[in-house]
Protein backbone atom coordinates (compact mmCIF):
# COMPACT_ATOMS: atom_id res chain seq x y z
CA UNK A 1 0.00 0.00 0.00
CA UNK A 2 1.25 3.47 -0.88
CA UNK A 3 2.48 5.82 1.84
CA UNK A 4 1.98 9.55 2.14
CA UNK A 5 4.96 11.47 0.75
CA UNK A 6 6.61 14.06 3.05
CA UNK A 7 4.73 16.97 1.41
CA UNK A 8 1.37 15.22 1.88
CA UNK A 9 2.18 14.42 5.50
CA UNK A 10 3.17 18.05 6.15
CA UNK A 11 -0.06 19.27 4.52
CA UNK A 12 -2.13 16.93 6.73
CA UNK A 13 -0.28 18.10 9.84
CA UNK A 14 -0.82 21.77 8.93
CA UNK A 15 -4.45 21.61 7.79
CA UNK A 16 -5.86 18.67 9.75
CA UNK A 17 -7.19 17.05 6.58
CA UNK A 18 -5.84 15.77 3.27
CA UNK A 19 -7.45 14.87 -0.06
CA UNK A 20 -6.07 11.85 -1.94
CA UNK A 21 -7.74 11.73 -5.34
CA UNK A 22 -7.98 8.37 -7.14
CA UNK A 23 -7.78 6.22 -3.99
CA UNK A 24 -10.46 3.87 -5.36
CA UNK A 25 -11.04 3.09 -9.02
CA UNK A 26 -14.41 3.78 -10.66
CA UNK A 27 -15.03 -0.02 -10.70
CA UNK A 28 -14.37 -0.27 -6.96
CA UNK A 29 -16.81 2.62 -6.34
CA UNK A 30 -19.46 0.86 -8.43
CA UNK A 31 -18.96 -2.40 -6.51
CA UNK A 32 -19.39 -0.59 -3.18
CA UNK A 33 -22.48 1.23 -4.42
CA UNK A 34 -24.00 -2.07 -5.55
CA UNK A 35 -23.46 -3.53 -2.08
CA UNK A 36 -25.00 -0.42 -0.49
CA UNK A 37 -27.97 -0.85 -2.84
CA UNK A 38 -28.43 -4.45 -1.69
CA UNK A 39 -28.28 -3.47 1.98
CA UNK A 40 -30.80 -0.65 1.50
CA UNK A 41 -33.12 -2.96 -0.47
CA UNK A 42 -33.16 -5.34 2.52
CA UNK A 43 -33.46 -2.46 4.99
CA UNK A 44 -35.85 -2.98 7.86
CA UNK A 45 -36.28 -0.02 10.18
CA UNK A 46 -38.45 -0.75 13.24
CA UNK A 47 -41.62 1.30 13.11
CA UNK A 48 -41.03 2.80 16.57
CA UNK A 49 -37.80 4.29 15.26
CA UNK A 50 -39.48 6.23 12.49
CA UNK A 51 -42.94 7.19 13.68
CA UNK A 52 -43.92 10.55 15.10
CA UNK A 53 -46.34 10.13 17.98
CA UNK A 54 -48.38 12.85 19.57
CA UNK A 55 -48.79 12.26 23.30
CA UNK A 56 -46.00 12.83 25.73
CA UNK A 57 -45.93 9.25 26.97
CA UNK A 58 -45.70 7.95 23.45
CA UNK A 59 -43.05 10.57 22.71
CA UNK A 60 -40.93 9.09 25.48
CA UNK A 61 -41.45 5.57 24.17
CA UNK A 62 -40.37 6.70 20.74
CA UNK A 63 -37.30 8.40 22.19
CA UNK A 64 -36.42 5.25 24.15
CA UNK A 65 -36.79 3.05 21.09
CA UNK A 66 -34.66 5.39 18.98
CA UNK A 67 -32.09 5.66 21.78
CA UNK A 68 -31.67 1.87 21.96
CA UNK A 69 -31.51 1.70 18.17
CA UNK A 70 -28.71 4.30 18.21
CA UNK A 71 -26.72 3.14 21.25
CA UNK A 72 -26.64 -0.49 20.15
CA UNK A 73 -25.60 0.33 16.59
CA UNK A 74 -21.89 -0.40 17.12
CA UNK A 75 -21.95 -3.99 15.87
CA UNK A 76 -24.95 -3.74 13.53
CA UNK A 77 -26.02 -1.96 10.39
CA UNK A 78 -28.40 0.80 11.43
CA UNK A 79 -30.17 3.39 9.30
CA UNK A 80 -30.56 7.04 10.21
CA UNK A 81 -32.68 9.47 8.28
CA UNK A 82 -32.97 13.16 7.70
CA UNK A 83 -36.05 15.00 8.94
CA UNK A 84 -38.98 15.00 6.56
CA UNK A 85 -38.39 11.48 5.25
CA UNK A 86 -41.42 9.95 7.03
CA UNK A 87 -45.07 10.91 7.32
CA UNK A 88 -46.84 10.87 10.70
CA UNK A 89 -47.51 7.14 10.46
CA UNK A 90 -43.87 6.30 9.70
CA UNK A 91 -44.34 5.64 5.99
CA UNK A 92 -41.59 6.74 3.67
CA UNK A 93 -42.47 9.99 1.88
CA UNK A 94 -39.71 9.38 -0.65
CA UNK A 95 -38.35 6.08 -1.97
CA UNK A 96 -36.05 4.57 0.73
CA UNK A 97 -33.02 4.57 -1.55
CA UNK A 98 -33.53 8.29 -2.10
CA UNK A 99 -33.93 8.86 1.63
CA UNK A 100 -30.55 7.23 2.17
CA UNK A 101 -29.04 9.30 -0.60
CA UNK A 102 -29.93 12.41 1.32
CA UNK A 103 -28.13 11.21 4.43
CA UNK A 104 -24.73 12.50 5.37
CA UNK A 105 -25.35 16.17 6.01
CA UNK A 106 -23.78 17.18 9.30
CA UNK A 107 -23.48 20.59 10.96
CA UNK A 108 -20.01 21.74 11.97
CA UNK A 109 -18.31 19.45 14.47
CA UNK A 110 -15.14 17.68 15.53
CA UNK A 111 -15.18 13.88 15.35
CA UNK A 112 -13.47 13.75 18.77
CA UNK A 113 -16.68 15.19 20.30
CA UNK A 114 -18.22 11.77 19.62
CA UNK A 115 -15.15 9.52 19.53
CA UNK A 116 -13.17 10.77 22.50
CA UNK A 117 -9.79 9.37 23.45
CA UNK A 118 -7.06 10.12 25.95
CA UNK A 119 -4.73 11.41 24.77
CA UNK A 120 -6.40 13.23 21.89
CA UNK A 121 -5.09 13.00 18.35
CA UNK A 122 -5.45 9.21 18.04
CA UNK A 123 -8.53 9.06 15.80
CA UNK A 124 -8.38 9.42 12.03
CA UNK A 125 -11.48 9.70 9.84
CA UNK A 126 -11.46 8.02 6.41
CA UNK A 127 -14.07 9.50 4.06
CA UNK A 128 -14.29 7.96 0.58
CA UNK A 129 -16.41 9.61 -2.12
CA UNK A 130 -18.29 6.93 -4.09
CA UNK A 131 -19.71 9.69 -6.32
CA UNK A 132 -18.39 13.15 -7.17
CA UNK A 133 -18.89 15.41 -4.13
CA UNK A 134 -19.58 18.97 -5.26
CA UNK A 135 -20.67 22.32 -3.84
CA UNK A 136 -24.23 21.47 -4.91
CA UNK A 137 -24.60 17.97 -3.49
CA UNK A 138 -22.93 18.27 -0.09
CA UNK A 139 -19.13 18.10 -0.26
CA UNK A 140 -17.08 18.42 2.94
CA UNK A 141 -16.00 21.81 4.29
CA UNK A 142 -13.07 22.30 6.70
CA UNK A 143 -11.54 25.02 8.84
CA UNK A 144 -7.88 24.40 7.99
CA UNK A 145 -5.64 24.26 11.06
CA UNK A 146 -8.54 23.98 13.50
CA UNK A 147 -7.30 20.61 14.82
CA UNK A 148 -4.85 22.11 17.28
CA UNK A 149 -7.15 23.78 19.80
CA UNK A 150 -8.67 20.85 21.72
CA UNK A 151 -12.25 19.61 21.82
CA UNK A 152 -15.11 22.07 22.37
CA UNK A 153 -17.74 19.61 23.58
CA UNK A 154 -18.29 15.93 24.19
CA UNK A 155 -21.26 13.64 23.74
CA UNK A 156 -21.43 11.26 26.71
CA UNK A 157 -23.65 8.31 27.55
CA UNK A 158 -26.28 8.82 30.23
CA UNK A 159 -26.70 6.06 32.86
CA UNK A 160 -28.20 2.91 31.30
CA UNK A 161 -31.93 3.17 30.70
CA UNK A 162 -32.09 6.99 30.84
CA UNK A 163 -33.87 9.03 28.19
CA UNK A 164 -32.29 10.65 26.32
CA UNK A 165 -29.44 8.16 26.21
CA UNK A 166 -26.76 10.78 25.66
CA UNK A 167 -26.01 14.35 26.65
CA UNK A 168 -23.37 16.97 25.83
CA UNK A 169 -20.63 18.37 28.03
CA UNK A 170 -19.65 21.86 26.87
CA UNK A 171 -21.10 23.51 23.79
CA UNK A 172 -20.18 23.99 20.19
CA UNK A 173 -18.79 27.55 19.84
CA UNK A 174 -20.23 29.88 17.19
CA UNK A 175 -17.89 29.61 14.24
CA UNK A 176 -17.29 32.17 11.53
CA UNK A 177 -18.73 30.63 8.38
CA UNK A 178 -16.14 32.40 6.24
CA UNK A 179 -13.39 30.25 7.80
CA UNK A 180 -14.76 27.08 6.16
CA UNK A 181 -13.10 25.96 2.94
CA UNK A 182 -15.11 23.73 0.57
CA UNK A 183 -13.46 20.49 -0.50
CA UNK A 184 -15.11 19.15 -3.64
CA UNK A 185 -13.60 15.82 -4.73
CA UNK A 186 -14.06 13.32 -7.51
CA UNK A 187 -15.51 9.85 -7.18
CA UNK A 188 -12.89 7.54 -5.66
CA UNK A 189 -11.15 10.23 -3.61
CA UNK A 190 -10.13 9.52 -0.01
CA UNK A 191 -10.26 12.40 2.47
CA UNK A 192 -8.23 11.94 5.66
CA UNK A 193 -9.82 13.76 8.60
CA UNK A 194 -7.93 14.53 11.82
CA UNK A 195 -10.08 13.73 14.86
CA UNK A 196 -10.07 17.34 16.07
CA UNK A 197 -10.39 19.29 12.81
CA UNK A 198 -13.65 21.27 12.51
CA UNK A 199 -15.68 20.20 9.47
CA UNK A 200 -19.22 20.03 8.14
CA UNK A 201 -21.27 19.32 5.04
CA UNK A 202 -24.29 21.22 3.77
CA UNK A 203 -27.69 19.64 3.06
CA UNK A 204 -27.87 18.08 -0.38
CA UNK A 205 -30.64 20.05 -2.06
CA UNK A 206 -29.62 18.98 -5.56
CA UNK A 207 -31.11 16.06 -7.46
CA UNK A 208 -27.73 14.27 -7.52
CA UNK A 209 -26.89 11.83 -4.74
CA UNK A 210 -23.54 12.02 -2.99
CA UNK A 211 -22.80 8.61 -1.56
CA UNK A 212 -19.74 8.30 0.62
CA UNK A 213 -18.26 5.49 2.71
CA UNK A 214 -16.77 6.60 5.98
CA UNK A 215 -15.17 4.99 9.01
CA UNK A 216 -12.59 5.80 11.66
CA UNK A 217 -9.25 4.34 12.66
CA UNK A 218 -7.77 4.64 16.15
CA UNK A 219 -4.15 4.23 17.17
CA UNK A 220 -4.94 1.86 20.04
CA UNK A 221 -1.47 1.54 21.53
CA UNK A 222 -1.33 3.63 24.72
CA UNK A 223 -4.80 5.08 24.06
CA UNK A 224 -7.87 5.06 26.32
CA UNK A 225 -11.15 4.83 24.39
CA UNK A 226 -13.57 6.78 26.60
CA UNK A 227 -16.08 4.44 28.29
CA UNK A 228 -18.49 7.40 28.02
CA UNK A 229 -18.47 7.37 24.20
CA UNK A 230 -21.82 6.43 22.63
CA UNK A 231 -20.03 3.83 20.49
CA UNK A 232 -18.65 0.89 22.42
CA UNK A 233 -17.07 -2.34 21.23
CA UNK A 234 -19.18 -5.41 21.98
CA UNK A 235 -18.44 -9.09 22.59
CA UNK A 236 -19.95 -9.88 19.16
CA UNK A 237 -17.91 -7.20 17.40
CA UNK A 238 -14.84 -5.89 19.20
CA UNK A 239 -13.06 -3.07 17.37
CA UNK A 240 -11.16 -5.10 14.73
CA UNK A 241 -7.39 -4.64 14.95
CA UNK A 242 -5.62 -3.58 11.73
CA UNK A 243 -2.29 -4.88 12.97
CA UNK A 244 -0.95 -6.19 16.27
FE1 LIG B 1 -17.16 14.08 10.99
Amino acid sequence: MACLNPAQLRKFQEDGFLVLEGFLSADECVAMQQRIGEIVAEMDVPLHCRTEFSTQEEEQLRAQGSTDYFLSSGDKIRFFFEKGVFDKKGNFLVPPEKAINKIGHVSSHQDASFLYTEPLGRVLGMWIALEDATLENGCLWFIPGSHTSGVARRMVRAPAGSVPGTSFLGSEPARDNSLFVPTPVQRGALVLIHGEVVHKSEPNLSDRSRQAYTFHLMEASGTIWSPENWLQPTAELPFPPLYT
Side-chain angles (χ1 to χ4, degrees), residues 99-135:
I100 290 284
N101 284 349
K102 292 293 185 192
I103 278 193
H105 144 238
V106 278
S107 53
S108 82
H109 68 282
Q110 300 169 290
D111 290 349
S113 294
F114 306 91
L115 310 173
Y116 189 80
T117 61
E118 286 177 15
L120 286 168
R122 299 298 179 90
V123 169
L124 177 69
M126 310 277 284
W127 192 97
I128 302 173
L130 301 180
E131 300 175 285
D132 292 350
T134 67
L135 289 174

Side-chain angles (χ1 to χ4, degrees), residues 160-183:
S162 330
V163 177
T166 56
S167 61
F168 282 101
L169 303 176
S171 57
E172 205 68 20
R175 295 191 172 102
D176 184 349
N177 244 338
S178 67
L179 297 176
F180 283 90
V181 174
T183 311

Side-chain angles (χ1 to χ4, degrees), residues 15-56:
D15 290 345
F17 68 97
L18 183 70
V19 175
L20 300 168
E21 290 282 359
F23 180 76
L24 291 189
S25 68
D27 285 351
E28 288 169 321
C29 289
V30 168
M32 290 191 69
Q33 287 185 278
Q34 278 171 354
R35 183 64 193 125
I36 290 169
E38 289 165 14
I39 291 169
V40 173
E42 295 159 12
M43 172 173 68
D44 179 26
V45 183
L47 203 59
H48 65 270
C49 296
R50 51 170 148 137
T51 308
E52 290 177 26
F53 292 110
S54 52
T55 73
Q56 205 184 353

